[in-house]
Amino acid sequence: MQLEMAVARQKSAIYTSLDLVEKSLEIQLQQLQKIPYLPKKSQEFWMSDTLWGLAESYAALEEHAKSYDYFKKVYELDKRLNGKQDQAVTLRRMGEQKVALKQFVEASEHFNLSLEILNELDIPLAVLDTQTYISEMHLRQGKLQLAKDSLETIIEHLDINKNVKSYSRVSYLLIDAYLQSELYEQAHSQLRLIERLKSNDIAKYYGFLAQALQGMGDLAGAFEAQNQMHMAYKNKMKEQGSLKTLVLASESEYVTGQFELKQAKAEQALLKAEQTLTHYIGFSIVAVLLSIIGFVLVFTRQRRARLEQEAKHLNQALELKKQLLADVSHELRTPLAVLKLHLEALEHNLVSDPQATYKVLNQRLDNLNLLISDIYELAQADTGTFNLNLEKHDASELFDDLAGQIEDVLCDHDLHLEVKKSPLDKVLLEVDAARLHQVVANLSRNSIHYTDKPGEVCFEISHNEQVVILSFSDSSPGVSEQDLPHLFERLFRCDKSRSRDLGGSGLGLSICEKVVEAHGGEISAFHSELGGLKIEITLPKVL
């Protein structure tokens, strides 16, 4: 498989060089799928190699942001594989992509890191290559004098006979700098110096020569050089087209040959299988049939069990939905019926005190509005649109605000409030304070409605290493053991005979549960030491 990976990598590089980048990307993506099946010790190497190929392909497509991301992944792998020189080369390629994106500050950082590594490894030619890329960046930034000076320094350290490729690259960049600076004579001199190297890129050579001659006033020479440039481009495109055709034709022949080879092997294997099958045909057929029957039976049973389970869950959900709709309808019907009766009495002048009747109507409307508001809150929680405005609060100050909110309300209803607070030095909570006020208000309302008067309420805060604990306890009457687990169910009331004139919606504790869970906390119900109900809330600290 590793040999196939190496061959595919070379094919990918060839396709990229011929501008068949889509074909190259197709091969590289196939390679990625094979990597998990390679030996562990070689997986990182091939991952690095394949990611490098993807980065080069995206660079060829001029998708430099994607190319940079892949080179960055290669760099992380290079650091784990301890390839110092590989790190330097990858950093340089990362810098090139940043230059193409005109993000020159980041590009400089990558180039400088590359230079540090190469100087440490003492690889002079590689150092000169990186300095060349830095000079090219200066050229793109319009820093012509800086680019020209650095390129002239670099070219002095290169041998035109030994370092042909590097010398040619630096020369073209230097010529570009001369032309942009309108130093046409110097550009022409450098072009004459590399004339014998022009075969490496004839079109670029004649393009620069045309600009230099035009700047020097030799219009006829410039015209001739421009004709040579166009001819070179035409020949290059024709040659590249021929190569593309040749490669694709070779690929087609290879695929066809592989198909014919597989077909021949398949026919040979089939013949051998037929010879063997004649000896065991009876046993094989029976075994296959038994296997199929067994598989069908197992599959049928599993499918039936799964369908039955799904049907059970669906029926439960439908029953819950029906029950909820029935309960909500009932909850709405009662106050609406009362409203209708009072309005009819007012209409027919059957009431002796209209003002008192209006007061009752307002109270009924308030209760109805509370029920609809609570239903809307729960609908938000069910649909995932229950939003919190989270902010960091000092737990001690927040607790004091909550206690202050309920103290006057409870006292007005003949309930004595006791506040207990353990030390809370620098304890922070990230919560929606308004929602917590809503929770405490709901708990207070429950105590007002369902606690015998005069009564007691205890509001307490404590904490441990992970959480802050809020507890809200009231005095008798309490809740039975069978009702305790159902308190947070929607529209559940412990005492079915209690009048709905108390104003509760039966949804308050359900809303409390949703708010606390949205904060990442938990809410639980217990028997209170005061003889009534105790609600305990835990909220995670900001650590």
Side-chain angles (χ1 to χ4, degrees):
M1 187 180 289
Q2 293 193 64
L3 182 60
E4 290 178 3
M5 296 278 287
V7 172
R9 180 72 181 87
Q10 294 301 317
K11 286 172 65 178
S12 170
I14 291 170
Y15 284 131
T16 301
S17 68
L18 292 173
D19 291 334
L20 295 169
V21 185
E22 290 80 4
K23 185 71 176 175
S24 176
L25 283 171
E26 180 184 337
I27 293 173
Q28 289 155 3
L29 292 172
Q30 290 172 357
Q31 298 299 90
L32 280 177
Q33 296 173 0
K34 296 178 182 178
I35 290 173
Y37 303 101
L38 293 171
K40 289 284 185 185
K41 60 183 180 181
S42 63
Q43 284 183 7
E44 282 195 334
F45 167 79
W46 284 110
M47 178 62 76
S48 175
D49 187 76
T50 306
L51 291 174
W52 180 277
L54 284 166
E56 292 286 7
S57 296
Y58 280 117
L61 289 171
E62 295 186 2
E63 293 190 28
H64 299 289
K66 282 187 179 180
S67 176
Y68 176 82
D69 289 340
Y70 279 111
F71 277 127
K72 189 174 181 180
K73 292 176 182 178
V74 173
Y75 178 62
E76 294 302 322
L77 286 169
D78 287 342
K79 287 195 289 188
R80 289 208 295 274
L81 296 170
N82 294 319
K84 282 279 189 178
Q85 187 171 351
D86 290 341
Q87 290 177 39
V89 175
T90 306
L91 282 166
R92 189 173 68 200
R93 294 293 284 133
M94 290 165 67
E96 289 180 63
Q97 307 316 308
K98 286 295 183 181
V99 169
L101 294 167
K102 296 184 179 179
Q103 297 172 2
F104 299 114
V105 174
E106 293 91 335
S108 295
E109 291 174 0
H110 294 316
F111 286 141
N112 289 333
L113 279 174
S114 177
L115 277 177
E116 285 180 18
I117 295 171
L118 293 171
N119 282 318
E120 180 186 339
L121 297 174
D122 192 20
I123 309 176
L125 282 177
V127 169
L128 291 174
D129 280 344
T130 302
Q131 289 174 342
T132 301
Y133 283 104
I134 294 173
S135 301
E136 185 177 9
M137 179 182 69
H138 292 152
L139 197 59
R140 286 201 181 198
Q141 290 177 281
K143 300 176 181 179
L144 299 180
Q145 188 61 44
L146 182 59
K148 184 172 68 68
D149 292 345
S150 57
L151 288 167
E152 286 174 345
T153 302
I154 293 168
I155 208 165
E156 289 176 1
H157 292 85
L158 294 173
D159 188 320
I160 192 171
N161 297 311
K162 294 180 180 179
N163 315 120
V164 176
K165 188 174 180 181
S166 297
Y167 196 93
S168 178
R169 171 175 164 70
V170 175
S171 292
Y172 281 126
L173 288 172
L174 183 57
I175 291 164
D176 192 4
Y178 286 148
L179 290 172
Q180 289 190 49
S181 302
E182 298 183 1
L183 301 173
Y184 302 113
E185 293 282 354
Q186 290 171 262
H188 187 258
S189 298
Q190 191 64 34
L191 283 164
R192 290 179 61 188
L193 190 62
I194 62 167
E195 185 176 7
R196 59 190 178 90
L197 305 179
K198 66 183 179 184
S199 58
N200 294 331
D201 197 339
I202 298 175
K204 181 184 285 189
Y205 177 84
Y206 281 113
F208 280 150
L209 182 59
Q211 291 182 54
L213 291 173
Q214 185 177 356
M216 294 166 61
D218 186 356
L219 299 182
F223 182 75
E224 178 60 28
Q226 199 163 19
N227 284 339
Q228 292 284 355
M229 179 187 71
H230 291 311
M231 185 66 69
Y233 272 127
K234 188 184 294 185
N235 291 337
K236 183 178 180 180
M237 291 174 66
K238 184 177 180 181
E239 180 183 351
Q240 196 172 46
S242 300
L243 282 171
K244 286 183 183 179
T245 304
L246 180 61
V247 169
L248 292 173
S250 300
E251 180 75 8
S252 300
E253 290 178 8
Y254 172 77
V255 172
T256 303
Q258 289 292 101
F259 176 76
E260 291 174 352
L261 179 61
K262 287 181 181 178
Q263 192 174 30
K265 287 182 178 179
E267 290 174 357
Q268 186 179 11
L270 182 62
L271 179 62
K272 186 176 180 180
E274 287 175 350
Q275 293 172 350
T276 305
L277 190 61
T278 54
H279 299 290
Y280 303 103
I281 187 70
F283 172 78
S284 299
I285 290 175
V286 171
V288 169
L289 287 174
L290 288 174
S291 299
I292 293 173
I293 292 169
F295 174 76
V296 170
L297 286 173
V298 171
F299 177 76
T300 303
R301 285 182 181 178
Q302 290 178 344
R303 182 172 176 78
R304 183 183 299 163
R306 188 165 60 250
L307 289 173
E308 289 175 355
Q309 190 70 19
E310 290 175 356
K312 182 179 177 181
H313 288 316
L314 182 59
N315 287 332
Q316 288 176 347
L318 288 172
E319 287 300 320
L320 287 172
K321 182 180 178 182
K322 288 179 183 176
Q323 184 63 42
L324 181 60
L325 287 173
D327 288 344
V328 169
S329 299
H330 182 68
E331 293 292 332
L332 290 172
R333 188 182 300 116
T334 301
L336 287 173
V338 173
L339 286 170
K340 188 173 186 298
L341 286 172
H342 282 292
L343 287 170
E344 288 177 351
L346 284 169
E347 182 183 3
H348 298 291
N349 295 319
L350 299 177
V351 294
S352 57
D353 187 356
Q355 291 301 323
T357 304
Y358 286 129
K359 185 176 180 181
V360 171
L361 285 173
N362 276 326
Q363 184 180 358
R364 295 290 180 178
L365 285 171
D366 287 341
N367 293 343
L368 189 60
N369 185 52
L370 175 63
L371 175 61
I372 293 169
S373 176
D374 287 349
I375 292 171
Y376 175 70
E377 292 271 3
L378 288 172
Q380 279 189 313
D382 290 341
T383 57
T385 57
F386 192 83
N387 296 321
L388 295 177
N389 183 21
L390 296 176
E391 294 180 348
K392 290 182 181 178
H393 294 270
D394 181 274
S396 178
E397 293 178 3
L398 180 62
F399 177 74
D400 291 340
D401 288 343
L402 295 172
Q405 168 197 344
I406 61 175
E407 184 174 11
D408 293 339
V409 177
L410 293 173
C411 290
D412 289 344
H413 290 83
D414 205 9
L415 293 174
H416 172 69
L417 175 65
E418 181 183 4
V419 177
K420 294 181 180 180
K421 183 167 74 170
S422 62
L424 295 165
D425 294 336
K426 298 181 181 179
V427 175
L428 294 179
L429 291 172
E430 188 170 15
V431 295
D432 185 332
R435 291 291 187 183
L436 282 189
H437 278 282
Q438 180 185 8
V439 169
V440 173
N442 280 347
L443 297 178
S444 302
R445 195 181 303 122
N446 276 357
S447 293
I448 292 168
H449 291 164
Y450 302 118
T451 302
D452 293 338
K453 313 298 187 299
E456 296 181 28
V457 172
C458 180
F459 189 31
E460 184 178 359
I461 186 169
S462 59
H463 68 100
N464 58 32
E465 292 182 358
Q466 302 294 328
V467 297
V468 170
I469 304 163
L470 296 171
S471 64
F472 196 96
S473 308
D474 56 30
S475 55
S476 62
V479 177
S480 65
E481 285 290 343
Q482 63 265 28
D483 286 338
L484 199 60
H486 303 287
L487 288 179
F488 297 103
E489 294 177 7
R490 300 175 186 186
L491 300 172
F492 177 79
R493 284 189 175 85
C494 300
D495 186 353
K496 307 300 183 195
S497 65
R498 278 187 185 270
S499 169
R500 288 176 177 82
D501 289 342
L502 292 171
S505 67
L507 300 172
L509 287 178
S510 298
I511 292 172
C512 291
E513 182 182 41
K514 292 296 183 182
V515 171
V516 172
E517 288 178 350
H519 282 85
E522 295 179 358
I523 186 168
S524 308
F526 307 95
H527 294 298
S528 166
E529 294 177 357
L530 300 176
L533 180 66
K534 177 180 180 180
I535 301 295
E536 187 173 277
I537 298 168
T538 61
L539 296 170
K541 287 182 181 179
V542 176
L543 300 176

